[in-house]
Amino acid sequence: QARDDPMAQAVVLVFDSPGGTVTASYDLFKAVEELSKKKVVVAYARNLMTSGAYLAALPARKIFASPASLVGSVGVYTTVLSARELLGKVGVTVYAIKSGPMKDIGSFYREMSEEEVRVMQGIVDEYFQLFRDSVIAYRGNVSPEVFTGRPFAPREALSAGLIDGVLTYEEALAKARELAGLPPDAPVVELKPRKPTL
C-alpha cells in the first residue's frame, strides 16, 4: 500500500518479531527490497528484530532500534523431536512404508541416523549462507560475533554493525523525514493489515 501511494515519500517499518520461517522471512526481505527501490525505507526495532525479522529489515536505508529492544540472532535452526522410547514404553510400534530411505527424515517416531543429521545440517547451512550473504551485502563489515546466532542489546548491536543508531520511535520518524527531504512536521499515516472479516 505504501509502495503504491504517490503521497508516501518515506516508510518506517516497525518491527516486533522474533522471526519466522525461512520462506516467509525471505519473501518479506524481497518485498522490503522492492519497496526500498521506490521509497526511503527506515526499519525500526520497537521490541524484537531478530532472526528472520532482521533479515527482512536489511534492505532499509537505515536500521534503528529502541533503547529497550533486542536485535540480531542471525542464523537458522530446526528441531527434530523423537518419541520412539516413550512410544515403546506404552507399547506403540510405528511402521513407515516409504519410497526411499530418507522420505521420512525427521520422523517423530524414530531416532535420526548420522546421514540424516548430515543432510539436515546441510539444509540449515545453505539457508544460513543465504542469510549471511544478505547481511554482508547490506551491512558490510559486521562483527564476526554476529554470525554466532546470538541476539544483541541495542548498544551492542550498534557496535557490531547491525544497526545505525539507538533512537526512540519519534526520533526514528524524524530521521525518516530527514532522509526523504521532508519538513519536520510532515504527517505520519499508520498502515496496518486489514482486520479479517467474515
Side-chain angles (χ1 to χ4, degrees):
Q1 188 177 341
R3 183 192 63 208
D4 298 334
D5 186 345
M7 297 298 288
Q9 299 298 306
V11 179
V12 178
L13 298 173
V14 181
F15 286 82
D16 183 5
S17 170
T21 66
V22 173
T23 301
S25 302
Y26 189 72
D27 285 350
L28 189 53
F29 164 80
K30 295 306 284 185
V32 174
E33 199 171 53
E34 286 303 308
L35 176 63
S36 66
K37 291 175 184 175
K38 293 188 171 186
K39 311 283 179 177
V40 171
V41 178
V42 168
Y44 183 72
R46 176 168 275 160
N47 181 21
L48 293 175
M49 184 195 282
T50 53
S51 197
Y54 183 75
L55 173 67
L58 284 171
R61 185 177 298 185
K62 295 288 183 183
I63 301 176
F64 299 119
S66 157
S69 63
L70 204 60
V71 178
S73 193
V74 171
V76 180
Y77 82 98
T78 188
T79 55
V80 177
L81 300 175
S82 171
R84 185 183 63 84
E85 289 188 26
L86 174 63
L87 292 173
K89 286 179 181 177
V90 295
V92 175
T93 302
V94 177
Y95 298 96
I97 315 303
K98 52 193 179 178
S99 60
M102 290 202 195
K103 183 58 185 163
D104 66 338
I105 189 170
S107 172
F108 180 72
Y109 304 111
R110 63 179 179 77
E111 302 293 327
M112 290 181 74
S113 70
E114 287 184 14
E115 178 66 8
E116 289 172 319
V117 171
R118 186 191 64 75
V119 168
M120 292 294 285
Q121 185 64 57
I123 293 168
V124 167
D125 290 347
E126 183 168 337
Y127 290 156
F128 175 60
Q129 192 62 50
L130 178 67
F131 199 166
R132 181 186 175 95
D133 290 349
S134 300
V135 170
I136 292 169
Y138 280 100
R139 299 302 302 179
N141 190 23
V142 295
S143 165
E145 197 173 7
V146 163
F147 301 113
T148 66
R150 62 156 286 196
F152 290 79
R155 297 280 174 206
E156 292 177 312
L158 183 60
S159 295
L162 288 171
I163 62 174
D164 299 296
V166 180
L167 307 175
T168 65
Y169 175 63
E170 290 300 325
E171 289 169 335
L173 291 179
K175 285 286 188 185
R177 289 186 183 100
E178 183 184 317
L179 288 167
L182 296 169
D185 59 348
V188 175
V189 176
E190 189 171 323
L191 302 177
K192 290 185 174 182
R194 292 188 188 94
K195 289 184 178 178
T197 65
L198 291 176

